Amino acid sequence: MNFGRTLKFISAVSLFSMIKIKYKKPANNILRVFKEKYPNATFVCWMQTDALDWNVHFNWKQKEYSALFNNKGRWLESTTLVLFDFLPSKIKIHFIKNYNIQSIRKIYEIHTPSSKLYKIEWCYEVSYLQFFYDTKGNLIQKIEIECSSLIN
């Protein structure tokens, strides 16, 4: 058993009980779809994000994931962190050529019903950029965010 993951789970449960949030469980249709898509997932923690959507954090196949489901049980997306080495080579080449890879904050692999994307968060001095790539390594979108807006 991974001590760090256990500690995170215990901390989350303690926090919920301290601030007396009533844990609400998603409808059975959502739970059924989740169990079919992610059999044997562990450390499952659900949170209703709004009236229509549910976000779930969990461990599956030795990785930490989050997934989004609507209230009808339709899976909308899932996200997990990945390492730079696991990116398609075209993305790695682009980053090595144009950016300081030491300034990469996080890399996400995002799955939706229709696609798979990679999101790279990059921050250097006063620049904060988000890059979105498809599985072929093509840049789909680049978003620049003012660092002052990250502080507020």
Side-chain angles (χ1 to χ4, degrees), residues 87-95 133 136-139:
L87 290 172
S89 59
K90 191 173 175 184
I91 299 173
K92 290 190 283 191
I93 291 167
H94 175 257
F95 251 82
Y133 292 90
K136 294 178 184 173
N138 299 311
L139 181 63

Side-chain angles (χ1 to χ4, degrees), residues 122-138:
W122 184 85
C123 190
Y124 183 73
E125 294 179 2
V126 296
S127 298
Y128 177 79
L129 303 173
Q130 294 179 340
F131 300 86
F132 292 86
Y133 292 90
D134 63 17
T135 56
K136 294 178 184 173
N138 299 311

Side-chain angles (χ1 to χ4, degrees), residues 70-146:
N70 70 11
N71 65 341
K72 296 183 187 330
R74 182 171 179 257
W75 169 72
L76 303 174
E77 73 174 31
S78 60
T79 305
T80 189
L81 290 170
V82 294
L83 298 173
F84 185 79
D85 293 341
F86 293 104
L87 290 172
S89 59
K90 191 173 175 184
I91 299 173
K92 290 190 283 191
I93 291 167
H94 175 257
F95 251 82
I96 289 169
K97 188 186 284 186
N98 297 294
Y99 300 96
N100 176 356
I101 63 169
Q102 302 301 321
S103 297
I104 292 175
R105 293 182 62 203
K106 293 181 181 176
I107 303 171
Y108 298 95
E109 186 176 274
I110 303 167
H111 291 260
T112 68
S114 61
S115 66
K116 176 179 169 182
L117 302 171
Y118 294 96
K119 174 185 172 186
I120 300 175
E121 294 180 355
W122 184 85
C123 190
Y124 183 73
E125 294 179 2
V126 296
S127 298
Y128 177 79
L129 303 173
Q130 294 179 340
F131 300 86
F132 292 86
Y133 292 90
D134 63 17
T135 56
K136 294 178 184 173
N138 299 311
L139 181 63
I140 298 169
Q141 186 177 21
K142 177 178 161 184
I143 301 171
E144 186 167 358
I145 300 171
E146 288 185 42

